[in-house]
Amino acid sequence: MAKKADKKKLSNKVYEAELFRLQTELVTLQEWVKATGARIVVIFEGRDAAGKGGTIKRLTEYMSARTARIAALPAPTEREKTQWYYQRYVNHLPAAGEIVVFDRSWYNRAGVERVMGFCTPQEYSRFMRQTPIFEQMLVEDGILLRKYWFSVSDGEQLKRFRSRLNDPLRQWKLSSMDLESISRWEEYSRAKDEMLVHTDVPASPWYIVESDIKKNARINMLAHLLSTIPYTDVPRDKIHLPDRPAPSSGYERPPRDLSTYVPDQAARLQGDREKDL
């Protein structure tokens, strides 16, 4: 197999400039979605520590939570386990004028459930047979469905896991399932390959994002998403800030001591500015 060519990481200056441009376009996309009543579903899948969360953050950072929302479902409850498999995901699908980002999706069955034995062989086979049909129904109903698989090498994944060990802000990202993914690397690889064979179809194709370099992956994914949606700029009325009216003679602000203010932690951090005077 041919070795991948080494890729250079974008400089911070180039990355920030391009990210700003793409996020500006994402806001334009949001306004188009609201104006036209479009419905968009974006699925993020991939190995643990592949960079999905960071990309989702940049995707939704400047969008309205009323328009773009993230669906990151926990493990199913006992009741949900008795439902039609897709049922709890259907509840999160967008209405007109909405974008839903699935941080992992119904493809849990093709990955972790398959590898860890959380589903039966019959349930897995049924999933592989029904998923292209299910997604075809979504597409035929007018939903714009985009599926992204974030691909990270085993060496880079292990490096990211190690960086989380002593990081108090990211330790929560390490779970027993993450550790299992290290010892079951090949099993997850086979599961991903089989998933693509059955569900990478013309109506709802998979797009692979090489994510060993996080910043490059974010730029590549966001640029591709925008390129696949026929959005246009929506004219907006110009906004003029009104002049503030003159203060009325009848209003008097209540005394400060009637309200409870948060402590001034910022002032404590500055220290006593007069101690050396």
Side-chain angles (χ1 to χ4, degrees), residues 8-33:
K8 293 183 178 180
K9 181 179 178 180
L10 290 173
S11 69
N12 286 339
K13 183 178 180 180
V14 171
Y15 169 74
E16 294 294 343
E18 181 63 4
L19 182 61
F20 177 80
R21 186 188 73 81
L22 292 171
Q23 289 179 323
T24 302
E25 287 299 312
L26 287 167
V27 172
T28 300
L29 170 66
Q30 170 188 260
E31 296 306 300
W32 175 81
V33 166

Side-chain angles (χ1 to χ4, degrees), residues 106-122:
W106 44 87
Y107 282 98
N108 277 336
R109 176 142 293 177
V112 65
E113 289 192 16
R114 164 70 162 174
V115 173
M116 300 302 297
F118 295 156
C119 66
T120 67
Q122 293 77 17

Side-chain angles (χ1 to χ4, degrees), residues 3-196:
K3 184 179 179 180
K4 289 182 181 178
D6 291 335
K7 295 186 179 182
K8 293 183 178 180
K9 181 179 178 180
L10 290 173
S11 69
N12 286 339
K13 183 178 180 180
V14 171
Y15 169 74
E16 294 294 343
E18 181 63 4
L19 182 61
F20 177 80
R21 186 188 73 81
L22 292 171
Q23 289 179 323
T24 302
E25 287 299 312
L26 287 167
V27 172
T28 300
L29 170 66
Q30 170 188 260
E31 296 306 300
W32 175 81
V33 166
K34 289 162 58 178
T36 62
R39 293 171 293 162
I40 299 177
V41 169
V42 186
I43 288 177
F44 282 76
E45 291 287 350
R47 294 183 184 271
D48 298 313
K52 299 181 295 297
T55 307
I56 291 171
K57 178 180 177 181
R58 274 70 181 183
L59 169 60
T60 59
E61 191 169 10
Y62 294 102
M63 288 185 169
S64 167
R66 295 184 179 89
T67 302
R69 51 190 169 83
I70 300 169
L73 278 61
T77 64
E78 290 303 314
R79 179 177 180 274
E80 287 171 334
K81 289 178 182 178
T82 68
Q83 295 176 341
W84 176 49
Y85 177 71
Y86 305 93
Q87 188 169 337
R88 70 192 191 113
Y89 296 101
V90 169
N91 287 336
H92 293 270
L93 291 175
E98 293 180 351
I99 302 169
V100 175
V101 177
F102 279 95
D103 185 356
R104 297 201 181 278
S105 64
W106 44 87
Y107 282 98
N108 277 336
R109 176 142 293 177
V112 65
E113 289 192 16
R114 164 70 162 174
V115 173
M116 300 302 297
F118 295 156
C119 66
T120 67
Q122 293 77 17
E123 288 172 332
Y124 173 77
S125 297
R126 185 161 60 245
F127 172 84
M128 287 300 195
R129 185 175 67 255
Q130 290 183 346
T131 294
I133 301 170
F134 170 66
E135 292 177 354
Q136 179 73 37
M137 293 169 64
L138 302 182
V139 172
E140 287 181 354
D141 200 61
I143 289 177
L144 299 174
L145 175 63
R146 301 293 181 268
K147 304 187 303 191
Y148 291 93
W149 176 271
F150 280 67
S151 178
V152 65
S153 65
D154 53 349
E156 180 62 25
Q157 184 194 52
L158 189 58
K159 176 183 173 182
R160 293 176 186 177
F161 281 160
R162 285 173 176 160
S163 73
R164 294 175 179 178
L165 284 174
N166 300 311
D167 186 340
L169 299 180
R170 298 189 298 158
Q171 283 178 345
W172 63 271
K173 289 187 173 184
L174 276 179
S175 67
S176 58
M177 287 297 175
D178 296 327
L179 302 180
E180 283 282 352
S181 69
I182 296 175
S183 59
R184 296 174 182 261
W185 178 270
E186 288 192 6
E187 293 176 65
Y188 273 101
S189 294
R190 293 191 186 96
K192 182 262 292 185
D193 293 342
E194 188 170 354
M195 177 196 77
L196 292 178

